[in-house]
C-alpha cells in the first residue's frame, strides 16, 4: 500500500464551525497529522449544532474525522506558550477565528512568519483581513446574501438559501488547495508563503457566470427554481405517478431526439419558436407547457427510460433518504465505517481517488481526547499536565 501523500506533514488548527475544519479534514484524509485546538470544556461550538448522530453533531462528524483534539486556553500565557511550541514543529497553521482575534493572540500571519519562517499560516476570514469589512463577522447565509447568491435561488415566489453551507465549503476548498500549493512551493523553493481565503471572495468566484451575465446582459438571471436561466428545456417536471424527473437539452442533436423520440412531436424540430437555444429560452412557457403535457402521460420511471433511449441526460429528484441508498455509491463502494464517540457510522470516502492511495478514515475525536498524549510529546510530565488541567489551561 502506498504511503498517504501528506504523511509527515503536521497541521495545527485553531478552528471552528465549517470552513477551516473542512480544509483540515481534507488534509487529514491525505495522511497529514491534524491537531485541532479547542476551547477547554465545550470545544468547537459546531459540536453543539445538533445531536442527530448518536448524540454528536452531524456537522462535527462530517468535518473532523482523523484529527487529534487538544484543549487549550489561548487567553492564558501558558496556553499560548504550548501552542507556540507546537507551531515550532508544525508545517501548517490554520485559523478561522473571529475578526482581530488571531492578531490579538499573536497568531497573525506576519507575526507567525517572523517567528517560524518555515511555517505556512492559513487565514480564513469572512471578508478578508484588509478593507472596509475586515472587522465584520460573517456566517454562511450572510455571505450567500452579500454575494447575491440568494437572489438567484428559489423561484418566482421568493428567494431561498442554498441548502448546504456553500460559502464555508467554497472557502474550505480554496484553503485546502492553497495549502497544498504552498506546501509544493516550500518544497521546490524553500519559501513558506502565507495563505489567505475569505468566505466572501471564495463564493464571489462561484458567482462569476451570473456576474458576467448581469454586467453585460443588463439584467441578472431570473429565479426559476429547477429551471435554467439560459438553457431550455432544463428543469424538473411532475410525472403521472407523482414523481419528478429533471432533464436537460444541451444541443440541437438532443433537441431533435427529444422531439422525435420523447415528445412524439417531430414537427417541433424546426418550429421557429424552438429551433435554436435562445429561441427556446425566449419561448420557455410555451415549451414547458408542451413538455409538461407529455410528462402527465408517463410514470416517472417510464419517462426516464424514454429519455435514456433518446440519449438525453436525466435524473429523478431524490430526497436525502433516497440519496443515501443511491446505487452508484453502493456499487462503487463509497461508504466506510468511521468511529465517533460511542458509536460507528458510515461516512463517504473523499471524492478524489489517487491510484494506490487509501485515504485515512480514522475516528472523530472527543473534546480534548488527545490532550495528554500531545502534551507528553512536548515533554510535559503527568504532574504538570494535572496542574495545567487544574488551572483550566487545558
Amino acid at each position: 500500500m502506498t504511503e498517504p501523500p501528506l504523511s509527515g506533514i503536521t497541521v495545527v488548527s485553531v478552528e471552528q464551525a465549517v470552513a477551516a475544519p473542512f480544509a483540515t479534514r481534507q488534509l487529514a484524509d491525505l495522511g497529514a497529522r491534524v491537531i485541532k485546538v479547542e476551547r477547554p470544556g465545550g470545544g468547537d461550538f459546531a459540536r453543539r449544532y445538533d445531536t442527530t448522530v448518536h448524540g454528536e453533531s452531524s456537522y462535527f462528524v462530517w468535518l473532523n474525522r482523523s484529527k487529534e483534539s487538544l484543549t487549550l486556553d489561548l487567553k492564558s500565557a501558558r496556553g499560548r506558550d504550548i501552542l507556540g511550541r507546537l507551531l515550532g514543529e508544525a508545517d501548517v497553521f490554520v485559523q478561522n477565528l473571529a475578526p482581530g482575534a488571531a492578531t490579538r493572540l499573536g497568531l497573525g500571519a506576519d507575526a507567525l512568519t517572523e517567528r517560524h519562517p518555515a511555517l505556512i499560516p492559513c487565514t480564513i476570514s469572512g471578508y478578508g483581513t484588509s478593507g472596509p469589512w475586515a472587522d465584520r463577522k460573517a456566517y454562511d447565509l450572510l455571505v450567500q446574501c452579500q454575494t447575491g447568491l440568494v437572489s438567484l435561488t428559489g423561484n418566482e415566489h421568493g428567494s431561498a438559501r442554498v441548502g448546504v453551507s456553500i460559502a464555508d465549503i467554497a472557502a474550505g476548498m480554496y484553503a485546502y488547495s492553497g495549502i497544498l500549493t504552498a506546501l509544493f512551493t516550500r518544497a521546490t523553493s524553500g519559501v513558506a508563503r502565507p495563505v489567505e481565503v475569505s468566505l466572501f471572495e471564495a463564493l464571489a468566484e462561484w458567482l462569476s457566470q451570473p456576474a458576467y451575465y448581469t454586467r453585460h446582459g443588463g439584467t441578472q438571471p431570473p429565479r426559476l427554481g429547477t429551471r435554467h436561466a439560459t438553457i431550455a428545456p432544463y428543469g424538473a417536471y411532475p410525472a403521472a405517478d407523482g414523481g419528478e424527473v429533471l432533464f436537460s437539452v444541451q444541443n440541437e442533436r438532443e433537441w431533435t431526439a427529444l422531439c422525435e423520440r420523447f415528445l412524439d412531436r417531430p414537427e417541433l424540430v424546426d418550429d421557429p419558436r424552438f429551433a435554436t437555444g435562445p429561441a427556446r429560452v425566449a419561448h420557455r412557457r410555451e415549451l414547458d407547457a408542451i413538455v409538461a403535457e407529455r410528462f402527465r402521460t408517463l410514470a416517472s420511471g417510464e419517462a426516464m427510460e424514454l429519455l435514456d433511449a433518446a440519449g438525453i441526460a436525466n435524473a429523478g429528484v431524490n430526497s436525502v433518504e433516497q440519496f443515501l441508498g443511491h446505487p452508484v455509491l453502493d456499487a462503487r463502494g463509497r461508504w466506510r465505517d468511521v468511529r465517533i464517540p460511542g458509536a460507528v457510522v458510515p461516512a463517504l470516502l473523499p471524492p478524489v481517488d489517487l491510484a494506490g492511495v487509501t485515504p485515512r478514515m480514522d475516528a472523530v475525536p472527543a473534546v480534548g481526547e488527545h490532550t495528554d498524549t500531545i502534551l507528553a510529546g512536548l515533554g510535559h510530565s503527568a504532574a504538570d499536565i494535572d496542574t495545567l488541567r487544574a488551572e483550566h489551561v487545558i
Side-chain angles (χ1 to χ4, degrees):
M1 183 183 300
T2 303
E3 188 176 46
L6 294 186
S7 293
I9 297 295
T10 297
V11 179
V12 176
S13 188
V14 181
E15 59 181 27
Q16 55 198 356
V18 176
F22 188 45
T24 59
R25 196 220 73 194
Q26 293 176 90
L27 297 170
D29 289 343
L30 291 178
R33 182 191 186 194
V34 176
I35 299 174
K36 180 183 180 78
V37 179
E38 302 191 68
R39 300 174 183 85
D44 182 346
F45 55 73
R47 287 182 179 273
R48 297 179 295 283
Y49 279 167
D50 61 71
T51 57
T52 57
V53 187
H54 300 281
E56 302 294 325
S57 160
S58 56
Y59 280 88
F60 196 85
V61 169
W62 164 42
L63 296 166
N64 290 283
R65 65 175 179 247
S66 304
K67 298 180 184 179
E68 302 172 33
S69 173
L70 164 69
T71 51
L72 208 55
D73 178 9
L74 296 180
K75 294 181 180 180
S76 71
R78 293 202 70 185
R80 291 193 298 274
D81 177 67
I82 291 168
L83 180 62
R85 291 164 61 198
L86 281 173
L87 294 178
E89 300 177 0
D91 299 282
V92 178
F93 173 67
V94 181
Q95 64 87 10
N96 66 333
L97 295 170
T103 300
R104 290 192 296 272
L105 293 169
L107 298 175
D110 290 343
L112 288 177
T113 299
E114 185 176 343
R115 293 199 301 271
H116 308 289
L119 181 69
I120 296 168
C122 176
T123 301
I124 302 175
S125 65
Y127 297 99
T129 57
S130 63
W133 284 27
D135 296 328
R136 194 179 183 102
K137 286 187 176 180
Y139 302 117
D140 184 85
L141 183 52
L142 303 180
V143 175
Q144 289 192 37
C145 291
Q146 288 293 335
T147 57
L149 177 59
V150 167
S151 75
L152 299 172
T153 54
N155 54 33
E156 68 272 17
H157 303 296
S159 58
R161 68 178 286 270
V162 175
V164 295
S165 301
I166 190 169
D168 285 310
I169 293 168
M173 288 298 302
Y174 285 120
Y176 166 61
S177 61
I179 290 167
L180 293 179
T181 302
L183 285 168
F184 177 80
T185 300
R186 192 186 67 172
T188 55
S189 72
V191 178
R193 299 187 183 278
V195 175
E196 180 178 345
V197 179
S198 78
L199 274 67
F200 179 76
E201 288 160 355
L203 195 56
E205 166 66 18
W206 290 14
L207 266 288
S208 290
Q209 181 275 321
Y212 280 120
Y213 183 100
T214 302
R215 183 185 295 274
H216 299 285
T219 183
Q220 75 171 49
R223 291 193 304 267
L224 294 170
T226 60
R227 303 297 195 264
H228 196 285
T230 60
I231 302 173
Y234 193 147
Y237 297 85
D241 59 356
E244 284 189 292
V245 177
L246 184 143
F247 80 95
S248 168
V249 166
Q250 297 279 325
N251 53 53
E252 302 317 310
R253 182 197 63 76
E254 291 182 355
W255 169 243
T256 299
L258 181 77
C259 295
E260 295 177 348
R261 304 186 63 182
F262 181 80
L263 296 176
D264 290 332
R265 298 281 302 274
E267 74 279 6
L268 294 177
V269 172
D270 297 317
D271 188 311
R273 296 173 299 169
F274 312 129
T276 66
R280 291 192 288 274
V281 172
H283 296 89
R284 182 194 306 275
R285 288 192 177 184
E286 300 156 80
L287 180 55
D288 277 347
I290 294 169
V291 174
E293 181 180 6
R294 177 60 169 145
F295 268 92
R296 283 193 289 270
T297 70
L298 300 167
S300 53
E302 185 180 7
M304 292 171 72
E305 288 178 4
L306 288 173
L307 289 167
D308 284 340
I312 296 171
N314 64 89
V317 181
N318 286 341
S319 66
V320 177
E321 185 175 5
Q322 289 171 315
F323 153 73
L324 290 173
H326 201 288
V328 170
L329 297 177
D330 288 337
R332 285 177 50 78
R334 302 309 295 179
W335 296 102
R336 293 290 186 277
D337 284 344
V338 168
R339 286 189 298 108
I340 66 172
V344 175
V345 298
L348 285 170
L349 286 167
V352 176
D353 292 330
L354 294 176
V357 174
T358 300
R360 284 177 61 197
M361 301 287 283
D362 293 346
V364 175
V367 179
E369 180 179 338
H370 303 92
T371 298
D372 289 16
T373 302
I374 292 169
L375 293 180
L378 290 175
H380 290 270
S381 66
D384 189 27
I385 293 171
D386 288 342
T387 298
L388 290 169
R389 187 164 281 115
E391 294 176 352
H392 305 291
V393 176
I394 60 174

